[in-house]
Amino acid sequence: MNAKTFPLVPDSASDLAPQIDALMLAEIGFSVFFTILIFALVIGFAIKFKRKSEHDVTPHIHGSLALELAWSLLPFVMILGFFVWGTSVYFKAYATEPQGAMEIFVTGKQWMWKVQHPEGPREINELHVPVNRPLKFTMISEDVIHSYFIPAFRVKRDVLPGRYTNFYVTPTKTGKFHLFCAEYCGTQHSGMIGSVYVMEESDYEKWVAGGDESMTARGEALFSQYGCVTCHLPDNKGRGPSLVGVYNSMQKLQNGTMVKADDAYLRESILNPRAKIVDTYQSIMPTFQGQISEEGLLQIIAYIKSLEQEEGVQ
Ligand code: CUA
């Protein structure tokens, strides 16, 4: 068995990989160094201070404030250093949206991974992405908790029912990589696997062109199918508020508080319209709980998002 068939670490195929590997290596090195140091001192002192005769008496030791402060504060500062380092990597992966990120929508379901690309293509247990382009993943589960795990990217994040989770990563190497579910989710959990294909930009463009309707178009179709279009008129003369320009804007609610109309808010407003009602409107919208799949919700939100891009519409 050589290093090729039994690699110590997975392929390194994203901007996060070297950062997470460096942190891991430093933590392992730190732990190994102190483990060896402590064991060596225990054994060394056991030999050095061994009772040598019957009359050997333990001397009285008075504490040393300097020494005690040193062995308390130094490890504290060192561990705090790892905490700051680790947190900065975590924030980069899970809380910092890069400029111009390409969006990928993942829906977990017993037992498969469904992916939607805004341009249209949809895939199951596969993911095609271009190399060197920042990606924003938005994920949700149709049923139980799953976890989207791409070892070569060094990303793993829980995919939850009822809540969107995100991560941000830039693939840096073309090739085919493993995709796993990393949260036990029932009988076929171990089969909830797939492949990630990182492609050259030009190959990716070709691949995308083979897809069908865009998410926005699908969302627009659902928007009329479910009758949203009859109340949410673009001129604000309908029984519900116009949704033009609503995406990611601040909305004033009946109780006076302000909320940001982000993905989570829009999803909640479709499934549970009474939860947060926009000021001056009545609570007349029916719930769509259980009627629209999570994939459909993502499509409707993509459509609402697209409404902000149309210029000249008020
Ligand atoms: Cu899905 Cu384990």
Side-chain angles (χ1 to χ4, degrees):
M1 214 177 257
N2 61 29
K4 262 222 152 81
T5 56
F6 187 71
L8 207 54
V9 289
D11 248 324
S12 173
S14 81
D15 59 332
L16 293 172
Q19 298 181 37
I20 287 175
D21 289 354
L23 179 64
M24 269 288 283
L25 259 177
E27 284 182 350
I28 291 172
F30 183 83
S31 309
V32 167
F33 174 77
F34 279 100
T35 304
I36 292 174
L37 181 69
I38 288 164
F39 271 81
L41 288 177
V42 165
I43 295 166
F45 287 160
I47 294 167
K48 186 173 176 205
F49 297 110
K50 186 177 178 299
R51 197 179 185 197
K52 304 209 169 59
S53 71
E54 279 291 302
H55 313 288
D56 212 355
V57 191
T58 310
H60 256 290
I61 295 168
H62 303 278
S64 158
L65 185 65
L67 200 58
E68 283 174 29
L69 281 177
W71 76 48
S72 302
L73 290 180
L74 280 178
F76 176 70
V77 170
M78 287 189 268
I79 296 297
L80 213 58
F82 277 115
F83 170 74
V84 171
W85 184 358
T87 309
S88 74
V89 176
Y90 178 90
F91 268 80
K92 181 170 188 297
Y94 298 110
T96 316
E97 184 170 344
Q99 280 284 312
M102 191 181 109
E103 293 204 87
I104 307 276
F105 297 92
V106 175
T107 316
K109 187 180 172 182
Q110 284 170 323
W111 289 276
M112 65 182 81
W113 292 114
K114 292 178 159 189
V115 169
Q116 302 190 78
H117 296 257
E119 302 90 341
R122 294 189 287 176
E123 38 190 344
I124 291 180
N125 292 341
E126 287 193 345
L127 170 68
H128 290 75
V129 287
V131 72
N132 293 330
R133 187 117 62 101
L135 306 174
K136 172 188 181 182
F137 285 77
T138 301
M139 312 185 292
I140 195 161
S141 167
E142 294 267 8
D143 38 48
V144 300
I145 300 177
H146 304 275
S147 184
Y148 201 68
F149 182 28
I150 306 171
F153 288 1
R154 308 291 189 277
V155 286
K156 173 164 69 179
R157 186 145 219 210
D158 278 7
V159 177
L160 309 169
R163 197 206 306 174
Y164 293 121
T165 50
N166 303 99
F167 66 79
Y168 312 92
V169 71
T170 306
T172 52
K173 189 175 158 187
T174 56
K176 181 184 175 188
F177 306 102
H178 289 296
L179 163 67
F180 295 107
C181 177
E183 182 69 51
Y184 182 69
C185 56
T187 319
Q188 296 295 319
H189 158 69
S190 63
M192 197 166 161
I193 55 175
S195 300
V196 177
Y197 299 89
V198 180
M199 311 159 90
E200 293 295 348
E201 186 77 39
S202 55
D203 294 338
Y204 179 77
E205 295 304 337
K206 265 182 239 152
W207 181 84
V208 159
D212 37 14
E213 271 186 309
S214 70
M215 276 179 79
T216 306
R218 282 174 197 281
E220 189 172 7
L222 291 175
F223 200 74
S224 15
Q225 185 189 325
Y226 286 100
C228 321
V229 71
T230 55
C231 292
H232 294 284
L233 302 177
D235 57 5
N236 242 339
K237 295 204 177 96
R239 289 187 293 166
S242 158
L243 299 178
V244 174
V246 155
Y247 186 81
N248 264 350
S249 69
M250 296 305 290
Q251 295 290 321
K252 190 175 177 212
L253 302 182
Q254 278 182 350
N255 63 11
T257 55
M258 302 292 286
V259 292
K260 190 176 178 193
D262 56 7
D263 295 346
Y265 169 84
L266 292 172
R267 181 180 175 279
E268 181 186 54
S269 295
I270 297 167
L271 298 179
N272 184 13
R274 278 153 203 264
K276 298 191 180 91
I277 298 163
V278 171
D279 200 19
T280 75
Y281 285 92
Q282 283 183 306
S283 175
I284 49 169
M285 178 169 157
T287 168
F288 289 89
Q289 190 92 47
Q291 297 180 49
I292 310 177
S293 69
E294 291 296 345
E295 284 181 289
L297 289 165
L298 286 168
Q299 290 160 3
I300 293 175
I301 293 169
Y303 171 63
I304 295 173
K305 189 176 178 180
S306 77
L307 294 175
E308 68 179 342
Q309 284 147 5
E310 288 173 30
E311 274 174 42
V313 184
Q314 281 299 310

